[in-house]
Amino acid sequence: MAMWVFGYGSLIWKTGFPFDESLPGFIKGYRRVFHQGSTDHRGTPDFPGRTVTLEAADGEVCWGVAYKITKEEDKRDALTHLEVREKQYDQKEYLDFFTESNSEPAVTGVMVYIASPDKKSNNNYLGPAPLEDIAKQIVKAEGPSGPNRDYLFNLEKALSQLGFKDKHVTDLANQVRSILSETQELSVDATANNI
């Protein structure tokens, strides 16, 4: 039997495990939010970055990519990889995955990693904050996998290449670009004033 994994964050552009097929589509009843702290990839314990998790939301959909894995060895490799990579995500759900709005699920029981808001089982959950505050945190955060802003920009680009729109991701990326632009202007002004 095939195993299916749904990627809605970095798994969209950097899978890291063998798979037989990838299918763009969506899950229902959830939205993507930058509420999870990252202390091991895009931030540090002293200054966490922010990565996406899913939040239950009636009537909403979250677009991403489902990966089909059929060989037993590949399933083991994928699970081993994901258990390390997603170790700060404390829940696994098995959801219906769709490729068209008014159809039956294309896949039933696709595995999805979710970081819950339960601080007992997920001590890295940061929760909601004003868009500008999230953007400022993303601008400053950096971890072993690189700057937090690269994660955001890669997600924005990957969703765009698939033809998906996610207002939260776009608004946040624009806010981060705005902060970076202001920072550059300030450093250019400071350099000019020192000459």
Side-chain angles (χ1 to χ4, degrees):
M1 229 176 88
M3 176 175 96
W4 286 84
V5 178
F6 179 65
Y8 59 92
S10 61
L11 284 179
I12 297 174
W13 76 87
K14 186 180 178 189
T15 316
F17 56 81
F19 58 91
D20 301 295
E21 182 185 344
S22 65
L23 208 54
F26 60 92
I27 56 172
K28 294 179 179 179
Y30 288 91
R31 72 171 151 243
R32 183 181 1 246
V33 289
F34 275 82
H35 293 179
Q36 176 66 4
S38 175
T39 59
D40 61 343
H41 288 297
R42 295 296 178 167
T44 63
D46 292 335
F47 198 93
R50 277 188 179 257
T51 54
V52 291
T53 185
L54 295 175
E55 180 177 79
D58 284 343
E60 299 228 13
V61 300
C62 177
W63 289 89
V65 177
Y67 299 96
K68 181 182 183 182
I69 307 153
T70 53
K71 295 182 195 134
E72 288 306 314
E73 185 182 339
D74 289 348
K75 287 182 201 174
R76 281 193 301 275
D77 290 348
L79 281 172
T80 301
H81 173 77
L82 288 166
E83 290 299 318
V84 172
R85 180 174 174 165
E86 310 293 338
K87 69 178 181 249
Q88 294 188 342
Y89 288 65
D90 60 318
Q91 288 183 354
K92 262 191 261 182
E93 297 287 338
Y94 295 87
L95 305 171
D96 288 340
F97 172 81
F98 301 84
T99 54
E100 293 174 40
S101 297
N102 298 322
S103 69
E104 292 296 308
V107 179
T108 300
V110 68
M111 184 171 64
V112 185
Y113 284 84
I114 299 175
S116 80
D118 182 348
K119 285 294 217 170
K120 286 184 185 142
S121 60
N122 179 12
N123 61 2
N124 287 311
Y125 183 76
L126 297 173
L131 190 73
E132 192 171 309
D133 292 352
I134 294 175
K136 285 177 184 171
Q137 187 173 358
I138 287 173
V139 166
K140 291 179 184 167
E142 187 163 347
S145 296
N148 199 177
R149 70 186 80 146
D150 290 354
Y151 173 94
L152 170 62
F153 294 149
N154 285 334
L155 179 56
E156 178 190 38
K157 181 179 175 186
L159 289 170
S160 173
Q161 286 173 340
L162 290 166
F164 305 151
K165 293 196 179 355
D166 187 313
K167 186 174 178 344
H168 180 58
V169 173
T170 304
D171 290 350
L172 191 52
N174 287 336
Q175 185 71 40
V176 166
R177 277 191 278 275
S178 174
I179 293 169
L180 291 171
S181 173
E182 288 169 18
T183 308
Q184 275 185 320
E185 287 170 20
L186 288 174
S187 72
V188 167
D189 289 347
T191 306
N193 289 334
N194 288 333
I195 294 174

